[in-house]
Amino acid sequence: MSSPRLFVALWPSADACSDLSLLHRKDEPGVRFVPEENWHVTLRFLGEAHPREVAEALDDVDFRAADITLGPIVEYLGDHSLIVHASGAEALNEVVERATSHLGDAPLRKRFVGHITIARLGRRRSVRQPAVVGTPFHSTFTVAEVALVQSHLAPEGARYETLAAWPTR
């Protein structure tokens, strides 16, 4: 049996989620909006990994509180994602990568780009640019905890489950 798909993440505050929910989210051809309960900032995608090993690696990490700024606009990340940048999580990314670099089957990224994915674009998306692209956006939140999350993949979309969490100080 294979290991679960894991990532380490920050969940935005209720206020930040409320702000994000005000963005234009009308269905458009080839655009699938991410449900609010799945909005997060990925600090490290581990891929397949053993949850106990990851939790043990993170147990002794000193997670410092950070203020995250979301914005300034909704934009593309690559060809298949619409995102809002999340600045302020760089130090947390560094400590998570240092603690977990030997775990998981996903390689470490060359460059951390903090963001919240708000929509995914299909391969056959409409020729038109999604209406939300370029929308000005600003929100902030203070990180309360760092979470180890399991991704359950399904045809109707991913479901995320927090397996463990560590408070910031």
Side-chain angles (χ1 to χ4, degrees):
M1 185 172 131
S2 64
S3 299
R5 288 172 42 97
L6 304 177
F7 60 93
V8 180
L10 308 174
W11 297 112
S13 68
D15 286 345
C17 286
S18 179
D19 293 342
L20 285 164
S21 72
L22 297 175
L23 288 169
H24 178 85
R25 294 173 53 85
K26 185 174 185 249
D27 287 340
E28 298 176 57
V31 180
R32 188 185 65 198
F33 286 93
V34 174
E36 182 175 331
E37 63 271 13
N38 284 0
W39 289 337
H40 66 279
V41 177
T42 301
L43 295 175
R44 170 144 193 251
F45 177 72
L46 292 134
E48 289 190 11
H50 296 284
R52 184 178 41 77
E53 292 175 0
V54 177
E56 287 172 358
L58 294 173
D59 278 342
D60 295 325
V61 173
D62 182 19
F63 292 111
R64 300 289 174 119
D67 293 323
I68 307 300
T69 300
L70 302 175
I73 62 172
V74 176
E75 61 189 293
Y76 292 96
L77 180 65
D79 293 334
H80 300 288
S81 298
L82 296 181
I83 62 134
V84 173
H85 278 280
S87 59
E90 296 79 10
L92 288 167
N93 162 258
E94 288 174 18
V95 296
V96 167
E97 284 194 351
R98 218 175 7 258
T100 64
S101 63
H102 62 290
L103 299 171
D105 66 356
L108 293 174
R109 300 211 172 178
K110 290 182 171 99
R111 188 172 72 91
F112 174 69
V113 179
H115 65 278
I116 294 178
T117 301
I118 62 163
R120 301 209 186 279
L121 306 174
R123 295 181 203 275
R124 295 187 184 140
R125 68 183 174 95
S126 165
V127 181
R128 288 187 357 196
Q129 176 170 282
V132 72
V133 172
T135 301
F137 184 82
H138 178 80
S139 188
T140 61
F141 68 95
T142 299
V143 176
E145 65 182 22
V146 173
L148 174 61
V149 181
Q150 180 174 350
S151 175
H152 301 275
L153 299 180
E156 62 276 2
R159 182 180 58 80
Y160 299 147
E161 173 187 7
T162 298
L163 302 178
W166 297 265
T168 59
R169 64 170 193 87

